[in-house]
């Protein structure tokens, strides 16, 4: 199932996206599917008649994973980590599909990073690898924007990775997906700049969630960013970036000063 958040003239609602490309409709859901399950109403909209927003705004946290693709580690001049490299992102960093992102005034080197994002569906702690599927609500597309100059000078990654608008998510959450071996790509102004596969992760989705849940209690709606393949580069005002993941869809954002 594809679960989206959207607005028409009122507050954001959740909806179930159905139909093929170009013919999608969205069935409005009753309440919050993370706490009330999937309860369909009789209200439907054409997808083109609504505005999609970020499919989830985490109530608790976003957790990023750095340097999780060997080719990306190589291009950044680092070393392969012996365990997952984690960082936290505030929920104020989240924006949705097609939303313009204002590049931060403190940075001259903001880069794109197309990533698979995992959305947690239930409260959990110390999850065994074999039980990880039980705690996953679904998957969405992320663009983990990074202020490279701040990342170099700050030591901590909070400002570099957590500025307002630094984590576009969307277009929806796909609940029925095997995260292994998915093509993940990024296009800057129509040109493919990233082209990899989730099979290239150093630490896979199940291993990441098991590891992260040893440190943090995970809550419904928490989001885990799983790292980016090689090909990262800089963004400028007027740029358009498309992050695409097989089986989910394409997340599009424009950037401005």
């Amino acid at each position: 199932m594809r679960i989206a958040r959207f607005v028409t003239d009122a507050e954001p609602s959740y909806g179930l996206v159905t139909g093929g490309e170009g013919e999608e409709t969205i069935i409005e859901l009753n309440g919050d599917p993370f706490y009330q399950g999937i309860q369909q109403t009789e209200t439907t909209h054409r997808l083109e008649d609504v505005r999609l927003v970020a499919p989830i705004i985490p109530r608790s946290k976003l957790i990023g994973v750095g340097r999780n693709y060997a080719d990306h580690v190589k291009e950044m001049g680092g070393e392969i980590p012996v365990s997952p490299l984690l960082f936290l992102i505030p929920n104020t960093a989240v924006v949705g599909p097609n939303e313009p992102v204002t590049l931060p005034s403190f940075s001259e080197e903001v880069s794109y990073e197309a990533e698979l994002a995992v959305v947690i569906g239930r409260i959990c702690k110390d999850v065994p690898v074999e039980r990880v599927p039980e705690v996953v609500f679904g998957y969405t597309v992320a663009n983990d924007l990074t202020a490279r100059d701040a990342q170099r000078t700050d030591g901590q990654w909070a400002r570099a990775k957590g500025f307002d608008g630094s984590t576009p998510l969307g277009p929806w959450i796909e609940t029925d997906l095997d995260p292994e071996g998915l093509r993940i790509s990024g296009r800057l102004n129509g040109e493919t700049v990233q082209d990899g596969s989730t099979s290239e992760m150093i630490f896979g989705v199940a291993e990441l969630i098991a590891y992260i849940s040893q440190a943090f209690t995970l809550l419904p709606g928490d989001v885990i960013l799983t790292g980016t393949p090689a090909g990262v580069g800089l963004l400028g005002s007027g740029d358009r970036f498309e992050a695409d993941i097989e089986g989910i869809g394409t997340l599009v954002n424009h950037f401005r000063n």
Side-chain angles (χ1 to χ4, degrees):
M1 293 185 292
R2 292 173 290 175
I3 306 298
R5 281 175 73 240
F6 69 96
V7 294
T8 50
D9 334 341
E11 292 296 313
S13 301
Y14 283 96
L16 174 65
V17 179
T18 63
E21 185 174 356
E23 300 180 350
E24 296 105 329
T25 60
I26 188 162
I27 303 169
E28 196 163 324
L29 299 181
N30 183 29
D32 186 335
F34 286 87
Y35 292 91
Q36 297 170 254
I38 308 297
Q39 300 181 34
Q40 298 183 34
T41 70
E42 296 182 357
T43 303
T44 63
H45 309 271
R46 294 189 304 171
L47 190 62
E48 62 191 45
D49 293 336
V50 305
R51 179 171 66 88
L52 295 180
V53 295
I56 183 69
I57 303 292
R59 295 173 175 83
S60 172
K61 55 192 169 294
L62 296 94
I63 303 164
V65 179
R67 301 172 186 166
N68 198 31
Y69 285 75
D71 285 349
H72 174 56
V73 175
K74 182 178 179 180
E75 75 177 347
M76 300 303 292
E79 296 183 356
I80 301 295
V82 296
S83 59
L85 174 60
L86 307 181
F87 55 93
L88 293 173
I89 303 170
N91 62 8
T92 48
V94 174
V95 295
N98 298 308
E99 288 190 44
V101 175
T102 300
L103 298 170
S105 59
F106 61 80
S107 175
E108 296 181 354
E109 299 179 35
V110 176
S111 69
Y112 53 79
E113 294 187 7
E115 304 198 11
L116 175 70
V118 185
V119 184
I120 299 299
R122 54 181 283 192
I123 187 170
C124 57
K125 181 77 167 70
D126 294 318
V127 183
V129 169
E130 65 274 13
R131 298 192 63 181
V132 163
E134 299 175 26
V135 307
V136 173
F137 183 85
Y139 301 87
T140 190
V141 184
N143 187 356
D144 177 23
L145 303 176
T146 306
R148 296 294 178 198
D149 40 6
Q151 187 179 37
R152 287 193 303 270
T153 59
D154 289 5
Q156 297 284 346
W157 291 7
R159 191 169 66 123
K161 293 279 194 178
F163 59 86
D164 288 353
S166 65
T167 312
L169 297 176
W172 40 62
I173 300 168
E174 174 57 67
T175 64
D176 184 16
L177 187 71
D178 182 349
E180 301 297 326
L182 301 175
R183 184 182 181 189
I184 177 171
S185 60
R187 292 183 294 276
L188 178 63
N189 299 325
E191 177 183 354
T192 298
V193 288
Q194 291 188 280
D195 193 358
S197 169
T198 58
S199 63
E200 299 165 3
M201 288 182 184
I202 298 168
F203 307 102
V205 168
E207 189 176 1
L208 288 174
I209 293 175
Y211 181 85
I212 290 167
S213 70
Q214 292 174 357
F216 308 114
T217 297
L218 297 174
L219 303 180
D222 280 356
V223 173
I224 297 170
L225 310 183
T226 59
T228 193
V232 300
L234 299 182
L235 293 163
S237 185
D239 282 345
R240 168 190 170 99
F241 190 79
E242 302 166 74
D244 183 87
I245 298 181
E246 177 184 2
I248 303 176
T250 304
L251 168 66
V252 180
N253 292 96
H254 295 81
F255 299 87
R256 64 190 181 189
N257 289 328

